[in-house]
Amino acid sequence: MEFNSCKEFKIGKCEGQKEVDGETIPLVLNPPQANKADFESLLLALKKNHDWLDQMIIKHSAVLLRGYDVSKAEEFNDIVEAFGWEDIRYVGPAPRTHIYKRIWTANEGPLSEFIYYHHEMVLIKEYPKRVILYCEIPPPEGGETPIVPSFKVTERMVKEFPKEVEEMEKKGLKYTFTALSKNDTSSMRGRGWQDTFGSSDPIEAEKRANALGMDVEWLPNGAMKTILGPRGLTKVFDGRKGRRMWFNTVVGMHGKEHSSALMADGTEIAENVVKRCQEIIEEESIQFKWEKGDVLFLDNYALLHGRRPSLPPRRVLVATCK
């Protein structure tokens, strides 16, 4: 089905949209007419055109459904299930709460904190292909979910640091991350190991960590230190124009309180390289203001995403799919 032949949606606009390499990010889809903004009409349109929409998510990296009356988690779950994509359980440090069937809260860390740009579950063997976000309560100020075309970061890093990028690519990367002994919701990464690995038994938790490709070290304070590596720096995915995605979390984990990022052989990554990469990611970011009922589909292979600091209240729910 060609781009404009989908009569069930009207192409819209939102502030902050960018044209990247000939594609508009995000692609905004509105109801075709006012009487088609109800939830049932949307669900019908999605079921009828899910293949087309999937193509659009890959073509544009992000698709924003806006102007529809999506009012609760149960309806968001119906939208997610309309595609027939398999669920993938979230594994990671973010404190989250299960809401309904496939729906969870997004990171519940303090709203005053910036959640750094990342590909969802980038360090785990199996990561989601799609991340779907739903805005139930838009924040009065801030709280955007900025997105970054990952291949642009690689392009610019290769241009500015060809030798360093080649060395990191060749050696691979090693990360450490410490999961606390219990949940601490005052931290962005305050998820305890019991919650992270879904078991209060250290032997079982360690087994689960190993199955996800992590080595484990237990610390005297009861926290669990996980070591991941070697991991790649960039990745090329099928059907995405051969683009090299910046598929790592060097900036997010380098030299932080609970984490580190090194080359796999233990070589330090130069501070100036990390700092400049952080600037590039920020320069390439795209963001819009959340509106109530927005549903945002992200191609997790192609985009990094984060969360800007926000005033309360803000409630964004999430589903992750294979």
Side-chain angles (χ1 to χ4, degrees):
M1 201 185 282
E2 262 317 293
F3 180 73
N4 288 324
S5 63
C6 192
K7 308 229 177 352
E8 259 87 12
F9 299 100
K10 195 173 85 187
I11 306 295
K13 282 189 163 59
C14 72
E15 55 151 344
Q17 258 178 332
K18 269 190 195 173
E19 181 131 331
V20 181
D21 216 11
E23 308 296 359
T24 307
I25 305 179
L27 171 69
V28 180
L29 299 178
N30 299 140
Q33 57 229 42
N35 66 349
K36 294 276 192 211
D38 62 290
F39 175 68
E40 290 310 319
S41 299
L42 170 62
L43 204 56
L44 209 62
L46 292 176
K47 284 178 175 169
K48 215 165 124 186
N49 301 286
H50 59 73
D51 288 347
W52 176 80
L53 208 90
D54 202 18
Q55 285 169 24
M56 292 303 107
I57 296 164
I58 291 171
K59 184 170 153 66
H60 293 268
S61 304
V63 172
L64 175 64
L65 297 178
R66 172 165 280 182
Y68 290 96
D69 184 21
V70 184
S71 60
K72 50 184 190 280
E74 289 78 1
E75 292 179 344
F76 177 41
N77 188 74
D78 287 346
I79 289 172
V80 173
E81 292 194 337
F83 288 87
W85 297 325
E86 240 183 292
D87 195 43
I88 191 165
R89 186 193 145 92
Y90 171 74
V91 176
R96 289 184 168 183
T97 305
H98 181 243
I99 300 295
Y100 176 78
K101 290 193 179 171
R102 295 174 64 166
I103 309 307
W104 293 71
T105 56
N107 192 324
E108 290 177 8
L111 287 176
S112 57
E113 304 276 331
F114 177 48
I115 296 175
Y116 196 68
Y117 300 99
H118 58 286
H119 287 276
E120 199 62 43
M121 288 163 59
V122 64
L123 298 181
I124 309 297
K125 276 186 191 162
E126 193 182 18
Y127 33 80
K129 184 175 178 181
R130 307 168 189 86
V131 173
I132 312 167
L133 298 160
Y134 159 60
C135 182
E136 191 174 22
I137 303 171
E141 193 183 301
E144 299 89 351
T145 298
I147 52 181
V148 178
S150 200
F151 80 100
K152 295 294 292 178
V153 183
T154 310
E155 271 182 5
R156 292 182 60 183
M157 286 297 288
V158 165
K159 212 167 165 177
E160 291 191 33
F161 300 101
K163 280 210 284 293
E164 290 84 346
V165 168
E166 193 186 349
E167 185 185 7
M168 287 190 279
E169 195 77 272
K170 212 160 56 202
K171 289 181 172 175
L173 302 166
K174 178 171 81 175
Y175 303 95
T176 68
F177 179 77
T178 303
L180 308 173
S181 57
K182 54 182 187 300
N183 287 351
D184 170 13
T185 47
S186 70
S187 162
M188 306 309 312
R189 296 179 161 185
R191 209 171 180 209
W193 58 260
Q194 293 95 330
D195 211 6
T196 300
F197 297 105
S199 174
S200 56
D201 172 11
I203 295 166
E204 180 57 28
E206 185 165 340
K207 221 172 16 193
R208 290 180 184 186
N210 294 157
L212 293 164
M214 305 174 184
D215 290 323
V216 167
E217 214 177 277
W218 291 97
L219 303 180
N221 64 0
M224 179 202 235
K225 184 179 182 179
T226 55
I227 300 122
L228 302 91
R231 290 286 192 275
L233 181 76
T234 65
K235 211 166 174 58
V236 177
F237 294 96
D238 286 347
R240 286 156 185 80
K241 300 183 175 177
R243 291 166 169 170
R244 260 174 95 187
M245 306 303 180
W246 192 251
F247 211 70
N248 64 72
T249 180
V250 166
V251 180
M253 288 180 80
H254 185 269
K256 301 287 188 294
E257 185 192 355
H258 293 305
S259 67
S260 72
L262 306 155
M263 287 182 233
D265 66 354
T267 310
E268 285 284 343
I269 300 165
E271 189 67 48
N272 68 312
V273 174
V274 179
K275 205 168 164 351
R276 180 63 188 133
C277 184
Q278 188 171 353
E279 291 167 2
I280 288 170
I281 289 172
E282 194 52 68
E283 286 162 17
E284 292 297 336
S285 72
I286 297 165
Q287 66 183 18
F288 60 88
K289 295 259 178 250
W290 280 113
E291 290 181 11
K292 187 173 168 49
D294 279 351
V295 176
L296 179 67
F297 295 84
L298 301 180
D299 177 0
N300 187 46
Y301 293 178
L303 292 177
L304 300 138
H305 69 278
R307 186 196 74 190
R308 296 247 179 253
S310 135
L311 289 178
R314 176 191 191 270
R315 188 168 159 93
V316 173
L317 304 181
V318 66
T320 41
C321 308
K322 289 185 183 177

